[in-house]
Amino acid sequence: WGASCLYFPQTEYTETVYIGQPAGTPLLQLHSLLDSDSERPHFYLCWNSALKIPVYSSWFNMDLHTGVLSLNKTLEESDFALLNQKWSVYKLFLRTMVLPSVPSGRQCGHRKTARIVLDFMNASVPQCAQTDPKELCFPHKDGAIPHVMENRYPGALRQLRRLSRAGACPNYTITYNVESAPFAVNDSTWELIVTAPLDREESERYRLLLVCSIRTDSVITKLETPLEVYVNDEDDNAPFINGTDTADITITYNRTKGGLFGTLYVYDRDLTSICPEPRAQCQNKYVWTSLNSDPWIKQTFDLKDAFREKKSALGGIRETVLDYQLKLKRSLVVNENRSVQLHYLVNDTTYPGLRGSVLLHFNVTILPVQIQFPNVTQVFTVSRRASVYAQVGRVCVENCPEFDGFSVSYRLELPDRNMSSSAQSCLSAISVGQSPDDQWGVLFVNDTEPLGRPECQALMYTVVAQEEHTLMEASTQIQIVLEGDASKARQESPEFSSCAGNKRRGECESMRGLGATSGRCQWRQGTERGISETYSTCSPDLRTCPDTFCDAVERKDPSICPQDCTSEEPGPVVGGYERGIRDGIQAGHGTCYCLTQRCFCEKEDDEVAICDDMCKTVIATA
Amino acid sequence: RTIAVQGRGCLLKEVHLNVTDLGLGYQTKEELIFRYCSGPCVDAETNYDKILNNLTHNKKLDKDTPSRTCCRPIAFDDDLSFLDDNVVYHTLKKHSARKCACV
């Protein structure tokens, strides 16, 4: 399984050294896990750079075959002084590598290495009587967690004995024990060994309890410490499909470039590492290939892949789920009409065995979009008193809110070319507008003069919808009924102001405002305290303003509904408010009003206070 | 320097407040140092102001009362950002004076 790959089961080894420890004292032992019984590890001290070899490196010797680090010389007080250290401990850092053969140089290079950290104490070795038994059994501090690669040859993992303290108490007999298969202790070498190959897909982590027994002539002392061993993953599982390998997709109204359709799942019990591109070095590397040769398919469809990690329902072992979604590479024209079958080969390129791939299928049906209106004549009513830019209604071809990837624009035409010129002049009353991101056409009052003429009564229009790419058209008749007294409407002034400038209800409701459907502005009374989305304000039409959306008609003149359309450009809103996602005021404090595009939100002191429970009690008792 | 020439009395003063004291409707426990301009501007008055004063006094301007020189910020403090009780972030701009003058 894989190439020869000696590795250290832990990345750091720590020990303490003292002044007076004699030459030849063993300090610690490294271990390397093997791929086969015939492999022989060779241990070396190595340097990152020949220029950075530390002065203390010659004090230590690494045994090539056993991995035992020992002292080359007796440590003297002058050695500690040489390090020019003010504190009582100095940390000595060494780096070590393991190779199956003799290396060409002593540079660590890009090989995986382990770090050795030795705490050099400015003190002599503690005597047996002064030593805590725990110190004899286990390292003073041990943050290194062993990691064992799955599917590898079993072997020694760690030296449990503190070699540097082995001679401290000659009358003590120290033994170790662990009772968690597949781990054991070699009684003659004090090594923790893993007795069988591990499988990460079975258990990701082993919790061991190490027991150390110190036997003297009279007593046996038992000490315990926990040790966790993690199992590293390799790509030893083939992908599989749990459920369906086929997705049936119908593409209709959403035909936009980048649109995603259907999801197929591929499972892999191995983990996928997140690593930078190119992922050549990465485990569990997946690639997909299209098995379709049709150029139209290649230009139109793409596969979007993503992977995530999930814990299996059984045993809670982590595994990988890959999601594959079909993606449109380009927007489809509305009259595109065909069915295709797409086949993709998904391959786990790092899986060494056969059957490292699965097949995914997408049955795609692309239906053409019919641009048509509902088969009824729509009737809208508009007050003869309506102001210019008053909204009358909305028009839309069938299913238009679902359209994506193409758009339909609307225009108004005369229903009959042989109309009299006076009848034609009535039709200037209404126009249609459309926001760039909206599929609806908005009918609004374009000219108020015909509204005051008695001969203009029911206005008939033909609405023509045109698709942008194919120029396909559809049309329908609409009727607009003018309501109210023409003579009264004619007396109204043709001057309009902005409703939004009013701070009070009375002034608001008596004003003839731009965009007002009934000719008069409308007042919204806020009821909430603090900064509220239902702030008090004066609007031409409470159905469309404020609704935190600056629509196609409101866009035509910034004074129609500055509450929805004000931007940071003329300066932010003054007072307590919250900005909308786009432009406009999302929420305001008290009353929000706008003068020449600058908006203010404030609570008036003399505003009629909303009667709270306290005030009701006062009124009731009075 | 300029401040000393134009009206000795117009000064920058400061007060320690809770953001809720500002009356803008924000609900938060955050606090701030609010700086404001205050003081008389008699020193900075010109012939224009004297004439206006005389005309208003002699009721020559009907009901019109034009603005006189007053002590106002000519520069504002840095923006103030805070979190409200619903963990929504707000930023106040031009809320506190940095420099005052009679204008």
Side-chain angles (χ1 to χ4, degrees):
Chain A
W1 224 257
S4 162
C5 193
L6 293 169
Y7 68 96
F8 290 115
Q10 62 192 63
T11 53
E12 188 169 291
Y13 293 83
T14 53
E15 192 44 90
T16 312
V17 290
Y18 297 90
I19 289 170
Q21 278 186 305
T25 305
L27 298 175
L28 50 84
Q29 186 179 13
L30 309 177
H31 284 86
S32 164
L33 284 152
L34 315 175
D35 274 338
S36 74
D37 204 16
S38 60
E39 267 184 337
R40 287 286 171 267
H42 296 74
F43 298 93
Y44 304 93
L45 290 177
C46 66
W47 332 115
N48 286 326
S49 147
L51 299 170
K52 287 185 183 168
I53 299 175
V55 61
Y56 50 78
S57 62
S58 62
W59 303 353
F60 304 98
N61 175 57
M62 173 69 75
D63 186 290
L64 184 68
H65 301 291
T66 62
V68 171
L69 184 76
S70 57
L71 282 174
N72 234 356
K73 70 185 288 291
T74 304
L75 296 178
E76 314 279 354
E77 273 188 53
S78 58
D79 295 326
F80 193 89
L82 179 71
L83 300 168
N84 192 19
Q85 183 52 40
K86 287 177 274 187
W87 314 102
S88 57
V89 189
Y90 188 81
K91 278 192 187 298
L92 309 176
F93 295 97
L94 297 171
R95 204 156 264 289
T96 175
M97 61 182 176
V98 61
L99 294 169
S101 57
V102 182
S104 53
R106 299 296 296 280
Q107 299 232 335
C108 300
H110 297 296
R111 295 182 189 94
K112 281 187 178 170
T113 60
R115 192 165 81 146
I116 299 172
V117 182
L118 299 170
D119 285 338
F120 188 6
M121 308 292 286
N122 189 12
S124 52
V125 192
Q127 296 304 300
C128 182
Q130 274 86 54
T131 308
D132 182 347
K134 190 138 191 155
E135 284 280 293
L136 294 175
C137 282
F138 305 114
H140 176 61
K141 53 171 186 179
D142 189 5
I145 299 165
H147 284 72
V148 178
M149 185 64 80
E150 65 170 334
N151 308 317
R152 296 299 166 88
Y153 196 78
L157 189 67
R158 172 184 273 198
Q159 174 59 256
L160 296 176
R161 190 110 201 246
R162 290 198 74 184
L163 296 177
S164 66
R165 312 301 300 278
C169 300
N171 297 333
Y172 291 6
T173 310
I174 298 176
T175 54
Y176 292 90
N177 189 33
V178 61
E179 283 179 8
S180 330
F183 294 89
V185 175
N186 182 331
D187 289 333
S188 58
T189 60
W190 303 289
E191 285 169 320
L192 177 67
I193 52 174
V194 54
T195 57
L198 303 179
D199 181 6
R200 192 203 65 89
E201 284 71 45
E202 196 178 291
S203 176
E204 291 197 278
R205 183 174 64 168
Y206 291 88
R207 290 177 160 169
L208 311 182
L209 189 66
L210 296 177
V211 183
C212 171
S213 307
I214 304 176
R215 185 193 299 263
T216 65
D217 292 340
S218 50
V219 284
I220 299 175
T221 312
K222 286 204 171 190
L223 295 164
E224 294 178 339
T225 194
L227 179 72
E228 293 208 324
V229 177
Y230 283 82
V231 184
N232 280 356
D233 188 41
E234 65 179 6
D235 196 349
D236 57 342
N237 287 279
F240 64 99
I241 285 167
N242 186 10
T244 179
D245 63 352
T246 306
D248 294 317
I249 292 164
T250 307
I251 297 177
T252 48
Y253 305 121
N254 179 7
R255 324 165 77 90
T256 190
K257 179 182 176 182
L260 296 170
F261 303 90
T263 309
L264 291 174
Y265 303 99
V266 176
Y267 295 82
D268 190 318
R269 297 188 65 204
D270 295 314
L271 296 176
T272 304
S273 37
I274 297 172
C275 43
E277 298 288 340
R279 293 180 56 205
Q281 301 299 314
C282 282
Q283 165 177 308
N284 224 17
K285 188 186 173 222
Y286 272 76
V287 294
W288 58 265
T289 36
S290 170
L291 301 182
N292 293 80
S293 52
D294 181 353
W296 186 87
I297 289 178
K298 282 190 179 291
Q299 285 161 20
T300 310
F301 293 105
D302 209 352
L303 206 55
K304 180 179 178 276
D305 55 355
F307 69 86
R308 59 202 154 91
E309 191 175 284
K310 126 180 199 293
K311 281 192 172 176
S312 71
L314 263 170
I317 311 287
R318 292 172 300 152
E319 60 183 23
T320 302
V321 185
L322 299 114
D323 304 344
Y324 290 93
Q325 278 184 294
L326 198 64
K327 182 178 172 182
L328 273 180
K329 255 182 172 170
R330 59 177 184 188
S331 292
L332 295 172
V333 289
V334 287
N335 50 5
E336 190 72 67
N337 180 13
R338 67 169 93 192
S339 290
V340 284
Q341 282 196 315
L342 308 178
H343 308 283
Y344 291 97
L345 182 74
V346 170
N347 187 16
D348 179 353
T349 56
T350 46
Y351 178 68
L354 302 168
R355 300 170 172 276
S357 54
V358 289
L359 271 175
L360 301 179
H361 313 279
F362 294 90
N363 295 331
V364 182
T365 307
I366 302 164
L367 297 176
V369 179
Q370 307 296 331
I371 303 291
Q372 61 189 29
F373 282 101
N375 198 17
V376 285
T377 302
Q378 291 188 74
V379 181
F380 301 92
T381 55
V382 60
S383 165
R384 285 186 184 272
R385 295 175 163 217
S387 307
V388 68
Y389 295 131
Q391 296 196 23
V392 175
R394 302 199 298 170
V395 288
C396 174
V397 293
E398 281 183 347
N399 302 306
C400 88
E402 293 170 63
F403 291 176
D404 199 1
F406 62 99
S407 64
V408 173
S409 59
Y410 301 90
R411 64 176 192 271
L412 296 182
E413 286 186 353
L414 307 183
D416 178 6
R417 288 178 197 283
N418 301 325
M419 284 172 86
S420 68
S421 60
S422 75
Q424 275 191 28
S425 69
C426 290
L427 295 183
S428 68
I430 305 296
S431 189
V432 66
Q434 192 173 11
S435 289
D437 51 350
D438 198 5
Q439 299 284 1
W440 291 83
V442 187
L443 299 168
F444 64 95
V445 174
N446 181 49
D447 183 4
T448 51
E449 188 272 329
L451 302 183
R453 297 214 317 256
E455 67 269 27
C456 301
Q457 283 179 348
L459 313 176
M460 291 294 286
Y461 295 89
T462 300
V463 182
V464 181
Q466 186 178 52
E467 198 278 322
E468 56 174 341
H469 300 298
T470 59
L471 305 180
M472 276 202 293
E473 286 190 345
S475 63
T476 188
Q477 299 280 316
I478 59 163
Q479 188 181 16
I480 292 171
V481 178
L482 304 185
E483 276 187 339
D485 194 333
S487 58
K488 278 186 185 169
R490 202 182 300 183
Q491 291 159 14
E492 298 272 11
S493 136
E495 298 294 314
F496 303 103
S497 327
S498 173
C499 292
N502 292 299
K503 291 162 73 173
R504 280 171 229 281
R505 178 171 215 137
E507 293 161 13
C508 171
E509 290 177 342
S510 61
M511 179 182 262
R512 196 155 149 74
L514 205 59
T517 30
S518 62
R520 298 276 175 258
C521 298
Q522 298 174 337
W523 180 258
R524 181 173 80 179
Q525 180 62 47
T527 49
E528 286 178 54
R529 289 164 187 276
I531 294 170
S532 152
E533 293 195 9
T534 55
Y535 54 86
S536 298
T537 200
C538 184
S539 148
D541 183 354
L542 286 173
R543 293 169 304 175
T544 56
C545 172
D547 62 354
T548 68
F549 175 66
C550 188
D551 64 41
V553 178
E554 288 164 1
R555 234 173 259 278
K556 289 187 178 288
D557 187 325
S559 54
I560 300 172
C561 184
Q563 296 100 316
D564 284 346
C565 300
T566 184
S567 63
E568 290 289 308
E569 202 37 60
V573 175
V574 174
Y577 81 110
E578 273 170 35
R579 245 198 96 177
I581 301 164
R582 287 168 286 207
D583 289 332
I585 303 167
Q586 180 74 38
H589 181 226
T591 304
C592 295
Y593 61 96
C594 305
L595 306 171
T596 59
Q597 281 215 60
R598 187 95 183 269
C599 295
F600 303 82
C601 293
E602 63 193 28
K603 194 117 187 146
E604 292 266 330
D605 286 339
D606 55 349
E607 204 169 279
V608 182
I610 304 147
C611 202
D612 61 9
D613 286 344
M614 170 79 105
C615 119
K616 279 175 191 159
T617 319
V618 173
I619 291 167
T621 49
Chain B
R1 292 141 290 156
T2 0
I3 293 172
V5 176
Q6 299 183 330
R8 209 171 295 277
C10 173
L11 295 172
L12 188 65
K13 298 179 182 174
E14 65 177 44
V15 58
H16 185 185
L17 296 174
N18 296 321
V19 170
T20 47
D21 295 333
L22 304 179
L24 298 178
Y26 297 111
Q27 285 163 2
T28 173
K29 291 179 184 66
E30 303 253 13
E31 300 169 16
L32 80 160
I33 303 285
F34 174 70
R35 297 193 178 85
Y36 61 100
C37 300
S38 170
C41 277
V42 187
D43 294 10
E45 290 195 339
T46 58
N47 274 338
Y48 169 81
D49 297 290
K50 298 292 176 206
I51 295 165
L52 269 188
N53 191 23
N54 295 339
L55 293 178
T56 344
H57 198 252
N58 299 331
K59 301 196 166 73
K60 290 261 167 66
L61 296 178
D62 294 339
K63 283 160 193 155
D64 211 4
T65 47
S67 310
R68 306 274 298 278
T69 307
C70 58
C71 180
R72 289 278 303 160
I74 54 165
F76 290 97
D77 259 346
D78 294 339
D79 295 352
L80 172 78
S81 294
F82 60 90
L83 280 178
D84 72 13
D85 291 348
N86 299 319
V87 208
V88 178
Y89 192 68
H90 300 278
T91 299
L92 287 181
K93 293 170 188 287
K94 293 191 180 178
H95 66 287
S96 173
R98 183 198 292 277
K99 208 173 176 185
C100 304
C102 291
V103 290

